[in-house]
Amino acid sequence: VIVTPPESPLVLTAAIVGAEVTRAQTPHLPITAQELADEAARCRDAGASVIHLHVRNADGSPSQSSELFGEAIARIREKTDVIIQTSTGGAVGMSVDERLGPLVCKPEMATLNCGTINFGDDIFVNTRPDIRAIARRIREAGSVAELECYEVGHIHEALALLKEGLIGEPLHFQFVLGVPGAIMPSEEVVRFMRSQIPAGASWAVAAVGRHQRPMTELAIKLGGHARVGLEDNIYLEKGVLAEGSAPLVARAAAYAKSLGREVVDPDRARRLLGITT
Ligand code: KMH
Ligand code: ZN
């Protein structure tokens, strides 16, 4: 029997664009700064307190340009008070320098990818020296790191970073599950990954494709946080495209409320995540 205290607050993150999904796959993908801002506001209304942000060039290709991030962040800020978590993962094949572009904007949060994996037919490279360099730059930007762990060993790498003083507590883990070539999601996997993180750390699950809904619900049941959105999954149901990320957020929020979990607003999420800027 899983017992989650009803008052246990839930942070929902919306990954509204990512670097890989194309307009050919779904017409509902936001691309321009205005589209990103409109989608961020819709997700906030649906229950998201964090927006995991990538940006695109006008032709839809992925970018880590500080100018494009600056524009998107400014537009989002005009519309809504969500926590903006910029990607430092970018797209496979980008150099570390290129990936660090958004940190110029001093985002409240930034991702820190904690290891290398096969990423479909590509390799998402995060060498140990690269991870440390990115961690230093996130700290210099004054951003709170979200620790993206695609494998169990990535958690242990994050703990090494903590020991080395490169990241501080409380730690925030995102278990990214179901990337083709990396660990597949299951309840056992989530429970084991959760068992590896220190007391006081928060954890969330972001699962890819058809795994998104069941793993979101599992994380919510087990007392974790969750990430949904088009970056990881473009379908609401089998064969039915989600009309943006907001419907996916709304469904996760409704599920959480049905279990008595409180879906928090951005200010409460800031306090939970230790964001003080
Ligand atoms: N696009 C992936 C290769 C992150 O945002 O930090 C990496 C990614 C992770 O999306
Ligand atoms: Zn991402």
Side-chain angles (χ1 to χ4, degrees):
V1 179
I2 298 158
V3 182
T4 303
E7 69 277 13
S8 163
L10 171 65
V11 176
L12 287 177
T13 296
I16 60 178
V17 55
E20 290 83 23
V21 175
T22 66
R23 270 276 167 86
Q25 292 171 300
T26 174
H28 306 294
L29 189 74
I31 288 180
T32 66
Q34 193 58 54
E35 289 167 352
L36 291 166
D38 292 344
E39 186 57 24
R42 286 176 71 213
C43 287
R44 158 69 161 110
D45 291 345
S49 47
V50 179
I51 298 294
H52 170 73
L53 188 66
H54 289 248
V55 295
R56 302 294 183 97
N57 295 305
D59 67 0
S61 58
S63 170
Q64 290 288 99
S65 138
S66 46
E67 289 77 22
L68 289 176
F69 268 96
E71 235 178 88
I73 291 169
R75 287 292 172 98
I76 293 171
R77 281 281 162 263
E78 282 169 12
K79 294 203 71 158
T80 183
D81 60 348
V82 284
I83 296 167
I84 299 173
Q85 175 196 86
T86 62
S87 171
T88 67
V92 288
M94 288 179 174
S95 70
V96 169
D97 265 0
E98 189 178 1
R99 285 166 50 179
L100 293 176
L103 296 182
V104 170
C105 306
K106 300 195 175 302
E108 289 180 287
M109 279 191 106
T111 57
L112 178 59
N113 292 277
C114 295
T116 295
I117 48 159
N118 283 315
F119 196 88
D121 292 342
D122 299 311
I123 305 176
F124 182 33
V125 178
N126 294 284
T127 67
R128 301 191 77 198
D130 289 349
I131 296 167
R132 283 156 180 76
I134 296 169
R136 284 193 189 92
R137 293 288 297 275
I138 290 173
R139 202 174 44 188
E140 283 162 17
S143 308
V144 170
E146 182 178 88
L147 306 163
E148 313 289 309
C149 296
Y150 304 76
E151 287 288 354
V152 178
H154 297 180
I155 298 173
H156 302 145
E157 180 70 334
L159 298 180
L161 299 176
L162 178 66
K163 254 198 183 154
E164 293 165 34
L166 290 167
I167 54 175
E169 291 183 294
L171 302 180
H172 305 296
F173 289 92
Q174 183 69 264
F175 304 153
V176 186
L177 307 177
V179 172
I183 204 165
M184 288 296 119
S186 67
E187 180 160 348
E188 289 90 334
V189 163
V190 172
R191 285 182 181 276
F192 183 66
M193 290 178 86
R194 184 181 65 163
S195 77
Q196 298 301 295
I197 69 173
S202 73
W203 62 279
V205 173
V208 171
R210 67 188 164 79
H211 301 292
Q212 186 172 83
R213 184 180 188 176
M215 287 296 120
T216 296
E217 294 182 356
L218 177 70
I220 292 171
K221 267 196 298 199
L222 294 178
H225 304 293
R227 170 174 121 181
V228 295
L230 298 191
E231 173 167 343
D232 306 323
N233 162 48
I234 61 173
Y235 292 105
L236 193 62
E237 306 284 349
K238 192 171 162 50
V240 180
L241 289 172
E243 295 187 357
S245 296
L248 299 165
V249 174
R251 182 168 65 192
Y255 180 77
K257 285 174 195 158
S258 78
L259 293 191
R261 285 198 66 184
E262 180 198 352
V263 179
V264 300
D265 68 13
D267 278 342
R268 181 90 192 281
R270 283 184 177 89
R271 291 197 293 279
L272 289 168
L273 297 167
I275 295 172
T276 52
T277 46

